[in-house]
Amino acid sequence: MKINKLFGLPLLVLTLCLTSCSDGEDGASGLSGISCWDINGDGINDADEDINQDGQFNALDCQGLNGQDGADGMDGTDGTDGEGFDELTQFGSITVNLSGTRPDGETFEDSAVFKFAGLDGGFFDDGGNTMLIEEGPDFTAYSFGIFRFLTAPDDSVNRSFTGFSLVFSNLGEADESLLLGSLSINEYTVIGDDYKYFVMTDSFQSGANGTSEFEFTDLSFDRENNNNLSFSYSFEVLAANNSTGNPLTVSGEVDVYLLEKIQ
């Protein structure tokens, strides 16, 4: 009787254990996070888009979205001009505007500032940046020679320049008039937006050789301000008398400081 009772006890324990250790009901599923496989976060596996051609997972798909660009930083300070720049540009400049039709029939507009003067004696003696005032019995003649290079002058490299030769009578007076006027443009390259170019080497004389009379506005000569000569100009040139082979309009501005040679 005692043995039967002891045998029944383990059986009861085993029965209780089996009953208490059986699986319970499944709990509610947790929220799914957005994985690298589900780039759009819509629960759809984007694996087909996340595999490289070599079958490897594309780690770039796991990166976050790019943020907005930051604000631009402050501009840096301007650099200093190269050595000799101030000396070569101290006497002012000539601006030349060209408008017309290219030799290939395309219309064009072009503008350039010629601001470099030579500093050698030959440049000045040849009328590169000089003035001369001569008193005559009937009028006073003002002669001006003004030439400027497109870039820093170099005899072997830079031959692109422009220049005026002008003679006025009674400049600044009521009877002021132009006695002689010419403008030269030498080996200036007009470059189009289509990467085509042509070269201008021309000389224009006011009222002669297919050139209209030069028109001047805001003409001023101030001897007290370092012989400052300034004016705007414009004229027209016939097709046969310029490098384009078509009618040409030339205009621009001059603002220069001239030297007077000691006689």
Side-chain angles (χ1 to χ4, degrees):
M1 192 65 185
K2 186 178 293 186
I3 294 175
N4 291 337
K5 290 181 179 180
L6 292 175
F7 180 78
L9 182 60
L11 181 61
L12 178 61
V13 172
L14 178 61
T15 301
L16 293 173
C17 181
L18 291 173
T19 302
S20 63
C21 293
S22 62
D23 292 338
E25 295 181 357
D26 293 338
S29 300
L31 296 176
S32 297
I34 298 175
S35 71
C36 292
W37 298 98
D38 182 10
I39 303 304
N40 297 319
D42 54 7
I44 300 174
N45 193 342
D46 300 320
D48 291 341
E49 298 177 359
D50 299 330
I51 300 297
N52 293 328
Q53 292 181 356
D54 58 1
Q56 300 298 316
F57 181 71
N58 187 356
L60 291 177
D61 288 340
C62 294
Q63 296 179 358
L65 297 176
N66 293 330
Q68 293 184 350
D69 293 339
D72 294 337
M74 296 178 60
D75 293 337
T77 57
D78 293 338
T80 57
D81 294 329
E83 183 177 354
F85 179 86
D86 292 338
E87 289 81 1
L88 293 170
T89 61
Q90 63 181 312
F91 299 116
S93 62
I94 300 172
T95 300
V96 178
N97 304 317
L98 304 171
S99 178
T101 303
R102 300 188 317 195
D104 62 356
E106 295 292 327
T107 60
F108 79 98
E109 290 186 357
D110 184 84
S111 182
V113 181
F114 296 77
K115 57 187 176 183
F116 293 89
L119 299 179
D120 60 281
F123 175 80
F124 294 112
D125 284 344
D126 291 339
N129 191 60
T130 57
M131 53 156 288
L132 177 64
I133 300 177
E134 297 178 292
E135 298 284 349
D138 301 319
F139 60 87
T140 301
Y142 294 77
S143 301
F144 303 107
I146 317 159
F147 283 79
R148 294 292 182 272
F149 293 93
L150 183 61
T151 59
D154 187 311
D155 288 341
S156 62
V157 176
N158 186 358
R159 296 183 296 273
S160 182
F161 65 81
T162 190
F164 278 95
S165 292
L166 302 170
V167 180
F168 291 94
S169 67
N170 299 331
L171 186 61
E173 305 295 331
D175 58 347
E176 168 189 297
S177 65
L178 177 67
L179 301 179
L180 175 66
S182 66
L183 171 64
S184 298
I185 300 176
N186 186 72
E187 295 195 24
Y188 174 64
T189 305
V190 178
I191 303 175
D193 294 335
D194 57 359
Y195 284 77
K196 295 181 180 180
Y197 78 94
F198 67 95
V199 179
M200 290 198 64
T201 297
D202 294 280
S203 182
F204 310 109
Q205 185 172 340
S206 179
N209 302 323
T211 302
S212 68
E213 297 285 349
F214 290 4
E215 294 185 10
F216 297 96
T217 57
D218 301 321
L219 178 61
S220 172
F221 177 59
D222 188 353
R223 295 205 68 182
E224 302 301 320
N225 183 25
N226 300 320
N227 298 323
N228 178 225
L229 176 66
S230 62
F231 57 85
S232 297
Y233 66 92
S234 64
F235 58 87
E236 307 288 334
V237 187
L238 296 180
N241 299 95
N242 71 85
S243 296
T244 70
N246 295 290
L248 179 68
T249 299
V250 183
S251 63
E253 298 79 37
V254 172
D255 190 359
V256 294
Y257 296 89
L258 303 171
L259 303 183
E260 186 173 8
K261 186 174 183 179
I262 300 173
Q263 302 296 330

